[in-house]
Amino acid sequence: MIINLRGTTSAKIGSRLVSLREEGGAVALGRVLTLVVLAADDATAERAIRTSNDVSREHPSRVIVVLPDEPPAEGTQPRLDAQIRVGGDAGASEVIVLRPRGGGGSTPDTLVMPLLLPDAPIVAWWPTDPPAAPSQHPIGLMAQRRITDSTLCPDPAKALTALAQNYSPGDSDLAWAGLTLWRSVLAAALDEPPLDPVTAVTVSGSPVHPSVDLLAAWLGLRLGCPVQIRGEGHDAISGVVLERASGPISLQRPQGSAVAALSRPGRPDQYVNLPIRDVRNGLMEELRRLDPDVTYGQVLTEGLARLGAPALQG
């Protein structure tokens, strides 16, 4: 069900939600958080709504989508238009789309506050280009977790640099969530004998994908050895080689494949499933824990600087 409201207020939207629950049985009980989506345009908003609907199967939420304030037309007053989606149009969530016009969205936090679920965590999500300092954004100031996606920014290197310079606990990025499987496989391989120290690392992948820099920064920070980035292909990360005295550990994923080959000295190759994770899977993972991701913070603020990653040179 989709309900359009023109020239409304946040209080009226909240009242209409209560009426819908009473009339149609759409309930907010069991909602675990409020997800505030800061969308750049209508197309971005629709993609984010589809993603949040899928994610709601694991994380039932109230989703509030805030669109940019449209410039005022001559002779018009500031106003707020809205849309409420429940039932089949909202997955296991309830979706509120806020469309301020003519200055009605100059303070987005005041639009959102009356619609927040009581006593539930607040997560802010920028599906495309985030502000330079998410924690200083009016919505970011009241959010426990602030999720960005540097992979979808017009200039990923510039975005990653800004996020590193303005990091605050609670910040996270879907480019980092995309590394979970790679990090797990590499950590498990290093836990097996022989436990030789790693003397050098090479990370290969797309020269414009921020996950390559983040994985290289994590490995350099944790292993304390030189790391080289080799730009090749277009499928995010294509391979990692860990050099050791006893022989290298190599994890290689061919372009276009979801399966990677893990090679170690004296052992047969092992094939592991390492698909490129989509936004839905990344967001689902990020919402599983809402406390600050300490490792991400260290990689962003210390690992990239130690690496001298291209993202920090741009």
Side-chain angles (χ1 to χ4, degrees), residues 8 14 28 32 91 117 124-125 128 134 144 155 170 187 197 202 206-207 219 249 259-260 281 283 305 314:
T8 187
V32 298
L117 292 174
W125 174 33
T128 51
Q144 281 81 16
D155 188 338
T202 301
S206 168
L219 289 167
I249 295 174
V259 177
N281 284 318
L283 183 62

Side-chain angles (χ1 to χ4, degrees), residues 39 46 82 184 243 246:
E46 290 301 327
S184 298
E243 301 289 351
S246 57

